[in-house]
Amino acid sequence: MFRRLLLSALFFFAAALTYADDWGAAAADGSLFGSAETGMQVFNGVRFYKVDETTRRLGAGTVEMGKLEFGEMLVKCAEDGAIRSLRLMIYNKGDDGDIDKEAFNARRETAVAALDELTGTKGRQLNVGAGDSGVKVKAMVWKTEHAVFRMESSAATKGGFKAEFIRLDIGPDEDSISRGGARDAAGKSSLKGHVKHEEDGTVIIEGVPMVDQGMKGYCAPATLSRLFAYYGMDGVDQHALAALCNSQGSGGTSTADMQDAMERICKKFHIRITTLEDYHSVVTSICEPYNKIAKKKDKPFINPADDPLAVADPAILKQARAPKPAVVDKWMKDIRKSIDAGIPVLWGVKVGIYQEPVPLPQARGGHMRLIIGYNPKKRTVIYTDSWGAGHERKEIDAADALSMTTGRHILKPSK
């Protein structure tokens, strides 16, 4: 798996370098956004990962557009395939690691100079609040006759400097790169329209946007950003949420940071949070019933202080947490109610317990995903992971789902 990913990365990295000058100029003169034919021609030979039907992702590397270097790139397309907009990550801590203030400012200044030269104009400073993205950003804009370039940078300063991201959005006009904020949140009543009842009894929420976290340990911010985008607030992306959650690029987000961050984020964006169970309640409740079974089977005990779900025997764990169907049905009750209302459930899990395919090393332990449906006849849970195409919809036995759970949270708009 990882050898294939590496070879793919090297392939599109080399190809992207070959076509860099072409598409950089095409973005500046607007021809990149003309049609499916004139737009994608400049990416001929460049391999992208599919995120969803209208989004393609170029993975992290060091690629050039004129004199501008960047890593991750997202290409948004219209239904006919024409390019609608680009988002380039000039820097983000998840892919690039931590850098100091001097290095961060140097990258930003280099990007400003490169964009001045590429567009033939001087960038203009913008006054931007934290209402749309959730974090304070410094923003600049460049406009040519047929294109708009908007760069935003964010760094935390409380308790010491911490670089977060520098990103660049490019499109043919302002509307193409606009993003929704708290004022754009959908109302609860409109969400029921996303619920679909299938012939086999499955109840599922449709229209939850996909986000590909890449190789970053950003499962929590990426999953939250999908939920926010579903509610109409796509300006709150995974990089902004990683800053709010104090996420680490390689190590993910700690349980304590995540719980605290969700409460702060929900308050900021007028989202109500209901915690059905958290990591602490799970580990303190499971050890006693697990150890009773383990004693009879002459198996090692688990301890709340030792991340018990990581070392638990899967068969004993399932017997302890889901001893009978009635227990599973009770656990599913809140999930079913939330799904019926068109509200996905934020689901913390310990993956790898039941031999699920897990493509990222960062996810082989604590992970976050969304529950988007259920089937009462089969007693299954429908869920989705933030790993791009192929992970939009998966199904798991509800008893297995209960057994691997480390937390469940319902986040819904307050209006």
Side-chain angles (χ1 to χ4, degrees):
M1 164 76 74
F2 292 105
R3 183 174 182 271
R4 186 168 68 251
L5 288 175
L6 177 60
L7 290 174
S8 296
L10 290 174
F11 176 82
F12 62 61
F13 167 69
L17 285 173
T18 302
Y19 291 90
D21 291 338
D22 293 338
W23 67 264
D29 66 23
S31 61
L32 187 69
F33 311 107
S35 68
E37 291 76 22
T38 58
M40 292 307 290
Q41 278 182 359
V42 297
F43 291 125
N44 183 29
V46 179
R47 182 174 179 178
F48 290 86
Y49 291 116
K50 180 180 178 182
V51 177
D52 57 34
E53 292 304 317
T54 61
T55 309
R56 299 294 182 269
R57 173 179 171 272
L58 180 69
T62 303
V63 187
E64 297 176 356
M65 182 178 72
K67 294 183 179 180
L68 179 65
E69 292 187 351
F70 66 95
E72 183 180 70
M73 176 170 70
L74 293 177
V75 181
K76 286 280 188 180
C77 299
E79 290 185 2
D80 64 358
I83 295 176
R84 178 65 174 157
S85 66
L86 307 175
R87 167 161 284 188
L88 284 58
M89 297 307 301
I90 298 169
Y91 165 80
N92 77 84
K93 66 181 180 183
D95 288 318
D96 304 319
D98 293 327
I99 58 176
D100 60 23
K101 184 176 182 179
E102 183 178 358
F104 180 80
N105 289 337
R107 289 201 188 193
R108 189 175 181 279
E109 291 166 7
T110 298
V112 170
L115 288 166
D116 284 348
E117 182 174 341
L118 180 65
T119 62
T121 63
K122 288 290 184 181
R124 178 170 57 88
Q125 297 282 350
L126 297 175
N127 292 321
V128 181
D132 286 342
S133 65
V135 293
K136 292 182 179 179
V137 298
K138 290 183 178 180
M140 294 185 68
V141 65
W142 292 256
K143 292 185 178 181
T144 67
E145 185 177 355
H146 301 289
V148 178
F149 295 69
R150 178 183 172 117
M151 186 176 77
E152 295 181 337
S153 60
S154 178
T157 55
K158 288 185 178 180
F161 180 87
K162 186 175 183 181
E164 294 294 345
F165 61 81
I166 305 172
R167 64 190 177 201
L168 175 67
D169 289 309
I170 311 173
D173 50 46
E174 294 279 3
D175 288 342
S176 67
I177 59 174
S178 64
R179 300 287 188 271
R183 62 183 178 275
D184 304 299
K188 294 193 294 290
S189 59
S190 67
L191 299 175
K192 292 182 180 179
H194 291 270
V195 181
K196 180 181 179 182
H197 295 260
E198 299 178 343
E199 291 184 2
D200 69 346
T202 296
V203 181
I204 190 165
I205 298 172
E206 296 186 326
V208 177
M210 174 54 75
V211 169
D212 188 347
Q213 70 186 76
M215 296 301 290
K216 300 179 286 297
Y218 274 16
C219 64
T223 302
L224 277 172
S225 71
R226 297 181 66 188
L227 188 60
F228 274 55
Y230 170 68
Y231 290 154
M233 298 180 286
D234 59 343
V236 192
D237 73 355
Q238 62 175 321
H239 299 286
L241 286 165
L244 292 170
C245 295
N246 195 29
S247 298
Q248 307 302 315
S250 58
T253 309
S254 75
T255 302
D257 283 340
M258 189 66 225
Q259 186 71 30
D260 178 63
M262 281 198 300
E263 292 175 0
R264 287 187 285 105
I265 292 166
C266 288
K267 184 176 181 180
K268 180 186 290 286
F269 289 99
H270 310 294
I271 299 291
R272 293 179 179 176
I273 178 172
T274 300
T275 297
L276 302 176
E277 54 186 329
D278 58 21
Y279 181 79
H280 176 73
S281 65
V282 169
V283 299
T284 53
S285 65
I286 191 56
C287 290
E288 183 177 349
Y290 179 98
N291 289 338
K292 285 182 179 179
I293 300 170
K295 183 177 181 179
K296 293 178 182 179
K297 295 179 178 290
D298 195 25
K299 296 288 186 178
F301 287 5
I302 57 175
N303 188 295
D306 298 330
D307 194 6
L309 270 66
V311 297
D313 179 279
I316 298 177
L317 183 63
K318 186 173 181 178
Q319 189 177 348
R321 297 201 73 182
K324 52 187 177 181
V327 174
V328 179
D329 291 342
K330 183 178 180 180
W331 182 80
M332 284 292 298
K333 184 178 179 180
D334 290 315
I335 293 174
R336 294 175 60 173
K337 182 179 179 181
S338 187
I339 299 301
D340 290 345
I343 300 170
V345 177
L346 207 63
W347 183 31
V349 298
K350 185 68 72 173
V351 297
I353 293 177
Y354 298 105
Q355 299 182 339
E356 289 183 292
V358 181
L360 303 183
Q362 297 96 327
R364 293 175 181 174
H367 180 51
M368 184 164 284
R369 50 180 46 146
L370 285 175
I371 295 176
I372 56 172
Y374 64 91
N375 187 305
K377 297 179 181 178
K378 297 191 293 182
R379 274 201 173 90
T380 57
V381 167
I382 315 298
Y383 67 96
T384 176
D385 285 304
S386 57
W387 297 328
H391 300 279
E392 302 90 343
R393 174 174 174 167
K394 294 181 278 190
E395 191 169 10
I396 187 173
D397 177 79
D400 288 346
L402 187 165
S403 301
M404 68 196 302
T405 295
T406 59
R408 289 180 298 150
H409 311 271
I410 296 174
L411 280 62
K412 58 185 177 182
S414 58
K415 62 180 181 179

